[in-house]
Amino acid sequence: MPKENLIEQSLLAFDNKLHELNLFMTGVSQWFQTHPKLVKIEFPIVHSVKARIKSRDHLKDKLFRKWTDENPIGPENIFDRITDLAGVRIMHLYQDQFPLIHNEVLAKVNDLNDWYLPEAPKAYTWDPESQKFFEDIGIEVHVKESFYTSVHYLVKPRSDSPLCCEIQVRTLFEEIWGEVDHTLNYPEPSDKVSCREQLRVLAKLVGAGSRLVDSIFRSSQ
């Protein structure tokens, strides 16, 4: 079947699951926004939460980018190949808060069996100190030359469900870099050397800023 036809059928499969996908994503988002240990009034661990369903146009672009003759994407495998159709982003103030969020996610998966992880959580970072931080917690680390920094979880309501939501967890400093990079340098990298160099400098400022905030809170205890 021609590539264009398979992609159109994949988009129709997405349309047919959109309502259920949106409900699952909303539940994941609400869980973080209302969790009593993570949103304590006196000092919340979770600063803010964003949620979005990938737009049909962006999905179409991604299908064309990822589709190959050797590994085509069709309606039968779109939900296995494209795992960020629904996304929830969790922002927190500084890195030392992350283990508290991670432990609650694991409790949701392992103790309550409310979520299923189709793959192990992954930490993306370029910073050697952050790499050690996440490895000490037991999270698989992927070094990103692009300076992208975030922890990713894929969650499903059960192992055989096609519904999947990507959870990204990052600090507010990392969110700033991510938003600027996503606007100017994604999905196609900027062709301006100066822009790419400034993004690199911003990533280093973000790393220094995150470390300074951690130090401030540690010194205040």
Side-chain angles (χ1 to χ4, degrees):
M1 182 177 292
K3 174 180 178 179
E4 288 74 15
N5 288 0
L6 269 178
I7 287 179
E8 188 55 38
Q9 288 191 11
S10 300
L11 291 170
L12 290 175
F14 167 69
D15 293 340
N16 290 334
K17 287 285 189 300
L18 188 55
H19 175 66
E20 298 298 332
L21 195 60
N22 194 42
L23 282 177
F24 179 56
M25 180 198 70
T26 301
V28 172
S29 174
Q30 285 291 310
W31 183 80
F32 283 103
Q33 293 184 61
T34 59
H35 195 298
K37 292 183 181 177
L38 300 180
V39 292
K40 294 178 289 186
I41 294 175
E42 63 273 19
F43 192 79
I45 303 300
V46 169
H47 176 275
S48 48
V49 178
K50 292 182 178 179
R52 68 100 183 93
I53 294 286
K54 187 177 285 295
S55 76
R56 206 173 191 277
D57 287 343
H58 286 160
L59 175 57
K60 188 174 183 179
D61 290 343
K62 187 164 189 172
L63 289 172
F64 272 100
R65 287 200 310 273
K66 291 180 73 74
W67 207 98
T68 65
D69 290 336
E70 296 75 24
N71 201 8
I73 301 174
E76 74 289 346
N77 67 357
I78 180 176
F79 297 104
D80 294 325
R81 295 285 304 279
I82 310 296
T83 54
D84 64 346
L85 297 171
V88 171
R89 187 175 301 160
I90 310 302
M91 272 76 73
H92 55 104
L93 188 54
Y94 58 101
Q95 194 177 54
D96 282 354
Q97 294 173 314
F98 173 78
L100 302 172
I101 298 171
H102 179 64
N103 289 340
E104 292 307 316
V105 171
L106 293 187
K108 180 78 167 167
V109 172
N110 298 325
D111 299 344
L112 297 175
N113 295 316
D114 284 341
W115 289 345
Y116 170 77
L117 299 180
E119 63 179 40
K122 297 176 183 175
Y124 297 97
T125 185
W126 57 273
D127 184 340
E129 289 191 39
S130 289
Q131 181 175 351
K132 183 178 186 310
F133 174 85
F134 290 119
E135 287 175 343
D136 287 347
I137 298 173
I139 295 181
E140 179 181 321
V141 173
H142 294 251
V143 176
K144 297 289 283 185
E145 298 298 328
S146 65
F147 288 89
Y148 178 80
T149 304
S150 192
V151 178
H152 286 200
Y153 303 82
L154 297 182
V155 297
K156 291 185 167 191
R158 59 180 192 278
S159 61
D160 62 347
S161 174
L163 306 179
C164 184
C165 180
E166 181 184 78
I167 301 171
Q168 300 178 358
V169 183
R170 61 179 66 159
T171 68
L172 290 172
F173 267 114
E174 291 162 351
E175 173 70 358
I176 292 172
W177 183 91
E179 287 294 301
V180 175
D181 182 77
H182 194 273
T183 301
L184 301 175
N185 200 41
Y186 184 86
E188 298 298 328
S190 171
D191 59 359
K192 295 182 172 58
V193 174
S194 59
C195 180
R196 297 198 301 271
E197 182 60 31
Q198 287 164 359
L199 284 168
R200 178 190 297 267
V201 173
L202 180 60
K204 293 184 177 180
L205 288 174
V206 162
S210 294
R211 194 153 297 122
L212 177 58
V213 176
D214 274 322
S215 176
I216 291 170
F217 277 97
R218 288 170 191 166
S219 66
S220 70
Q221 293 173 355

